[in-house]
Amino acid sequence: TGTYHDMTSSWDSSPYTEGHLREGNTFRMNFRLLFPVNHDPSYQPGYPLIVMMHGGEEGGDCNTKCKNDERYRNNDNNLSHGGLLHLQARNLAAGKYPDDPTLHPRAFPGFVLFPQNTDGLWDGNTVKYAVRLIRLLIKKHNIDQDRIYIHGLSKGGQATVKALFTADWLFAAAAPMSPIAWDGDDSVHPKIQNIPTWFFQGGRDGQPTPA
């Protein structure tokens, strides 16, 4: 639509472009995409991509929680946690290419993708939509297919593990943060054990607990 309900009023989220995934005439998923500073479409082998999977409270659409409030059909709540930090890291790159040795140590010279699920639910289908979205963006933009990284928090941490399981060939590394426990069986572990993964869990976290 070119408009969204602003839920990040403490900072300007407009540098994140706005889009959605459709399958035929069926809506599947909203997303926000941040381009590198001074994006060079001809640059090869391409820019890295970070994918951020939001938590359970940052979904869109709200079929159950807020189905009578159309503002939530398209919002930027998925940027609430991490959106500003990723934007600042992108800005620190200052238009330099990914392998420039003079890059700031906290700079990220690449694309940043925030998919947004429906109602906070990262089920098997919505994770597959996110994977499909990544694959379509690879075809459209000069993204380095060997430098795609994924992380997420809480339910988004669980979604990160699900994405690794769904497309273990796609991701170079992952960083799930306080991930809700995987709801499948232990067969997931052998499939993802060779993907560099750094799990973050706070000792005072209650949902979920460190255990």
Side-chain angles (χ1 to χ4, degrees):
T1 62
T3 60
Y4 55 88
H5 176 49
D6 184 7
M7 299 181 73
T8 57
S9 55
S10 62
W11 60 280
D12 180 13
S13 68
S14 62
Y16 284 88
T17 61
E18 185 185 4
H20 65 272
L21 176 70
R22 300 184 75 88
E23 186 173 3
N25 292 322
T26 304
F27 169 83
R28 294 302 187 196
M29 177 174 284
N30 283 326
F31 67 90
R32 302 293 290 276
L33 179 66
L34 188 64
F35 282 71
V37 175
N38 298 330
H39 173 233
D40 178 1
S42 65
Y43 172 69
Q44 293 300 328
Y47 295 89
L49 168 69
I50 282 183
V51 183
M52 175 66 182
M53 308 294 270
H54 64 74
E57 299 299 319
E58 294 84 58
D61 207 346
C62 294
N63 284 330
T64 56
K65 289 189 296 184
C66 46
K67 62 183 178 181
N68 295 320
D69 190 340
E70 287 298 323
R71 296 177 304 168
Y72 289 91
R73 296 291 172 186
N74 186 21
N75 65 66
D76 63 359
N77 201 23
N78 54 332
L79 300 174
S80 296
H81 301 294
L84 179 58
L85 291 173
H86 285 84
L87 175 61
Q88 291 170 337
R90 189 282 309 247
N91 291 344
L92 282 173
K96 296 179 180 179
Y97 290 119
D99 295 319
D100 189 322
T102 66
L103 275 167
H104 189 281
R106 293 188 64 84
F108 182 70
F111 291 87
V112 181
L113 172 66
F114 276 72
Q116 187 174 43
N117 66 27
T118 299
D119 229 6
L121 299 176
W122 286 113
D123 58 20
N125 283 332
T126 50
V127 170
K128 288 178 181 178
Y129 296 151
V131 169
R132 185 179 301 173
L133 176 58
I134 295 167
R135 296 181 69 188
L136 289 169
L137 291 173
I138 290 170
K139 289 183 178 181
K140 187 172 183 179
H141 303 295
N142 55 330
I143 293 171
D144 185 345
Q145 297 185 44
D146 292 325
R147 299 173 79 174
I148 299 174
Y149 312 100
I150 186 168
H151 60 174
L153 60 95
S154 191
K155 286 186 178 178
Q158 181 193 51
T160 299
V161 178
K162 286 183 177 181
L164 297 181
F165 184 72
T166 301
D168 59 312
W169 44 268
L170 183 59
F171 301 104
M177 296 169 279
S178 297
I180 303 294
W182 170 255
D183 57 3
D185 58 43
D186 288 343
S187 63
V188 66
H189 301 138
K191 190 169 183 182
I192 71 171
Q193 66 182 354
N194 293 319
I195 302 172
T197 304
W198 193 357
F199 283 87
F200 289 83
Q201 180 71 45
R204 295 170 64 183
D205 281 348
Q207 293 183 336
T209 64

